[in-house]
Amino acid sequence: MRILIAEDDLASRKFLYKFLSAYGSCDITVDGLEAVEAFLLAWDEEEPYQLICLDIMMPRLDGIKALRMIRDLEKQKNLLPAQRAKVIMTTALNESQTVMESFEIGCEAYAAKPIDTKKMEEVLQKMNFLKG
Amino acid sequence: MNHAFAHDRELLALTLESIGDGVITTDIQGNVNGMNEVAEALTGWSCCEAQGRPLEEILVLNGKKMMQHPMSEVITYKMKRGLKKGTTLVAKNGQRIYISACGSPIINHEHQTIGMVVVFRDIDNIVRAEEKLKILYSALEQGPSSILIIDLRKNIEYANPQFVSLTDHDEQSIEGCNLDQLELNDYLSNIRAHLEETMGSGAQWQGEVCAKQRGEPYWEQVVISPVRDNDEELTHYLVLGKDITRVKLVEQEIQRAKEAAEEANHSKSEFLANMSHEMRTPLNGIIGLTALTLLTQLNPEQKENLEIIKTCGDTLLNLINDILDFSKIEAGKMSIEKVDFSLRELLGKTIASHQVNIKPKGLRIETYIDDTVPNRLVGDPYRLQQILNNLISNAVKFTDRGQIRVKIHSQTLANDEVLMHFEVQDEGIGISPGDMNKLFTSFSQLEHSISKRYGGTGLGLSISKKLVEIMQGRIWVESELGRGSTFFFEVVLALPEQGMIIKPIAEDSNKELPLSPTVPIKVLLAEDDIVSQTLMKGMLRARGYHVQIANTGQEVLDSLAVEKYDLILMDINMPQMDGVEATILIRTEEKRTGEHIPIIALTAHALYGDRERFLAVGMDHYLSKPIEMDELYEAIELFQDSKPEQWSGHFIPRLYDATQLYKQLDEDYLEEMSIYIASLEQFLKMRDGLSAEHFAHLMREAAVKVEENEMKKYAFKIELSIRKGEWEAALEWFAKLEEEYSYVKSMGL
């Protein structure tokens, strides 16, 4: 399974990479623009990402906007909801505003940093992602 | 001849003439038939002119509600008549004066009225004086000040209503009374007491007196003055009280506010100090133990993880320090040291600490110190370094290529002072004129997205500016967008006095310290906190020192009694007997033995005044927590006989000098790309992830600029692979990139 991580902080990036590598092959991007580009690239290669971890606070393009673009692109390709990538938003902020927004645009889960690994595991399990 | 009669008549006539008042006589018709000189003078009529005229024409009167001439009834009713108060005589020339007058009928022996005589007097002065008095009296009665007039025996001659209202008597009962016999409330007692003082000294008294008016507190500014008559004889005392209640209340409020502010300020300092301690303590644990663990046998993954932890810890410490510095400055509690230090060594140390950031970017730092710049200076090297670090790290952050130049000049001033001039110049992205004003304000980072990209709190320049200003200097910038920026700052430092011995703090530079020291020494570590104990023990043993632990001041003394130590590391905060007390006892004992064991204070509080206190009780040095390993080693070495070599001041050049690449850069992107590709290949082969990713990124951006999508894709792929550590994959993508590049180059853009 291919996983896309978008996270601008080095330490968080390393952590997510190590943690999620257990579930699949991870690609690391450092801002929203790269994330969208990687997403498109993966599509072109016909190996789209099934799980995307988006940090909300990122330079150039933030997580919310990236999420919006990814969902729009998926719509353009006429994907059924079940076929869409599962998205987990991560952030150090605690604003309910951003949480609401992301859920409205369409994400599956929301994790506050520092990430609780136990919870993350549970969520991934619920999404039927298994450790390989 | 009737000589006697004639004499009488003459006498009478003379007498009439001599009367000091005006006299006018009339016949029975009321026409004037006689006037004396005074009457002539007062009325302005001469006797001849007035002769035969009616009295009303000569003695022209004017008064309030005067219906008819007051003298008109004298003859008719055979009655004496006077004038109403305020009646004026209008003289021939129109002048008016107040007069009093009395008109009487002249009755002969046969009881016949034969005429009238009016005697009148100029009372103008008196009346005018009376009027003035009336006005004054109203003022005294009705004015807001309280007034009391007493005679020399303290009889109350006058007390105005305002005064009376403060005495708890009612008006009738106070005038005419004697002050010694009245019932006195607090106010009146006070007044009487001050009166007696004044009467004794004969001088004026002024002061504040408190009273109650209608149950509310009432304050007066009271003046008691002696009153003298025209002959300079003391006749009365005047007590005058002005209402200052409002002022007094405001004063009290200000006093309360002042106390509250001082309390808050005190709390703020305590808060800062406590926060400083609270935040640094656990951080100390994290950073220190991580550093320790890094010294042990680790597998690469563990090493990498720990290095990241250490970096996070260092970053956090920098952030906390920035925030605390900023708060300290805002609270006005930032103080600057005056310590002897070497400028060149400070600069060397500062530049060296930035090498780790310069290497991957292929940048270089050059320093130029003018020959005339003195090397030893007196100032705050820590804060100076802070400013330089801020400017240099900004230069490194915002520059992708070229040189960073640090220049220092100086100018000697009077009083053994020197104006130091620093410049930090880069060839980076530059700053637009519009953004320059925002630079030194707090929280400024010129663009939110840039700030996220370049990191930092945004407080650095603001703190630098405040520090520079505290050092009587200024800081400014010159910049051009796209070409680079130069930051300038000037500060006033002092030249060291001859013969002054101040131990320099951590003077020796940042170099690779060997793990085994030259002299193994016995260190007594006085520290009660378990985490700190473990940390310090670890650091000391790593250096080969012998360590003995003491948990309290008493244990320190006990240990010293049993064994000889080379050095004591003394934590200030210990239970039962703290570090300061222990030091005092040790030094006292040493006066007897003539010895001196070096004592280094360890403290979590690094506030102004602490250093003086420690030195005063006999400590030789101090370190503030969290304690860095090299700081600790340097401090200990200061007290050893043999010192390590001096650091030369040059950094180790890179194997591959990336700066050479930039000499060829011009606007031709393909040329650029060929350089990027060459570098990228180099770093991929060397497995230098940071540098390789940097050039892959540059390659990607260049490809975007020329709209070569394939190259962009390959460059991105290389980046992604590098991040995952998949070097083989990266090299594969690189091969594809190179191929595409050759193709594009051959085709032309």
Side-chain angles (χ1 to χ4, degrees), chain B residues 625-660:
Chain B
K625 300 184 190 176
I627 296 169
E628 307 247 319
M629 250 193 324
D630 36 6
E631 255 189 330
L632 177 62
Y633 297 155
E634 281 165 22
I636 294 176
E637 263 153 37
L638 280 174
F639 299 99
Q640 284 179 240
D641 288 325
S642 53
K643 277 200 175 148
E645 284 176 20
Q646 292 292 315
W647 182 63
S648 62
H650 297 293
F651 58 89
I652 300 164
R654 287 189 46 75
L655 287 172
Y656 188 94
D657 192 357
T659 58
Q660 299 216 1

Side-chain angles (χ1 to χ4, degrees), chain B residues 19 85 94 326 654:
Chain B
I19 292 176
K85 210 170 177 185
F326 189 75
R654 287 189 46 75

Side-chain angles (χ1 to χ4, degrees), chain A residues 14 26-28 34 45, chain B residues 304 700 717 720 723-724:
Chain A
K14 290 271 174 192
C26 301
D27 278 333
I28 302 173
E34 277 198 1
E45 293 168 343
Chain B
E304 193 189 341
R700 176 153 76 111
K717 277 293 184 188
L720 290 174
R723 288 172 192 169
K724 292 200 282 190

Side-chain angles (χ1 to χ4, degrees), chain B residues 43-179:
Chain B
T43 60
W45 289 85
S46 73
C47 192
C48 309
E49 286 172 331
Q51 196 71 259
R53 289 192 187 251
L55 181 64
E56 300 86 67
E57 272 180 39
I58 307 302
L59 192 72
V60 180
L61 296 175
N62 217 322
K64 266 199 221 159
K65 297 189 184 164
M66 199 170 92
M67 303 289 204
Q68 56 184 13
H69 197 278
M71 299 301 152
S72 58
E73 291 180 343
V74 170
I75 292 176
T76 3
Y77 293 110
K78 277 186 180 174
M79 288 169 77
K80 285 198 186 146
R81 276 275 180 269
L83 292 181
K84 280 214 180 95
K85 210 170 177 185
T87 310
T88 51
L89 164 66
V90 184
K92 194 176 183 205
N93 62 7
Q95 203 183 354
R96 287 163 195 258
I97 53 170
Y98 289 100
I99 58 166
S100 66
C102 182
S104 322
I106 303 174
I107 302 173
N108 63 10
H109 295 301
E110 276 100 50
H111 303 288
Q112 285 168 320
T113 310
I114 56 168
M116 165 172 59
V117 59
V118 180
V119 180
F120 58 100
R121 173 183 294 185
D122 171 1
I123 56 164
D124 203 64
N125 289 342
I126 297 172
V127 173
R128 292 201 197 277
E130 245 181 56
E131 275 175 359
K132 209 167 159 187
L133 262 176
K134 269 213 192 93
I135 294 170
L136 285 175
Y137 185 75
S138 299
L140 294 189
E141 282 284 298
Q142 295 165 29
S145 304
S146 65
I147 300 172
L148 174 72
I149 302 176
I150 59 157
D151 68 14
L152 300 180
R153 275 184 273 190
K154 299 193 220 148
N155 292 315
I156 297 177
E157 286 210 5
Y158 175 71
N160 77 345
Q162 177 65 10
F163 183 87
V164 175
S165 75
L166 298 171
T167 63
D168 294 329
H169 288 280
D170 69 76
E171 203 154 324
Q172 280 90 333
S173 60
I174 177 166
E175 262 176 32
C177 296
N178 190 287
L179 210 49

Side-chain angles (χ1 to χ4, degrees), chain A residues 2 8 11 14 17-18 25-30 34 37-38 41 45 57 59-60, chain B residues 301 304-305 308 312 448-449 452-453 697 700 712-713 716-717 719-720 723-724 733:
Chain A
R2 291 189 79 184
D8 70 318
K14 290 271 174 192
Y17 180 75
K18 292 191 194 232
S25 157
C26 301
D27 278 333
I28 302 173
T29 55
V30 301
E34 277 198 1
E37 278 184 35
L41 208 50
E45 293 168 343
M57 284 288 278
R60 295 209 295 162
Chain B
E301 191 183 347
E304 193 189 341
N305 285 354
I308 295 174
C312 284
H448 195 62
S449 63
K452 277 296 299 176
R453 207 166 126 205
H697 190 77
R700 176 153 76 111
K712 174 182 135 190
K713 176 174 124 180
F716 191 35
K717 277 293 184 188
E719 272 185 279
L720 290 174
R723 288 172 192 169
K724 292 200 282 190
W733 289 112

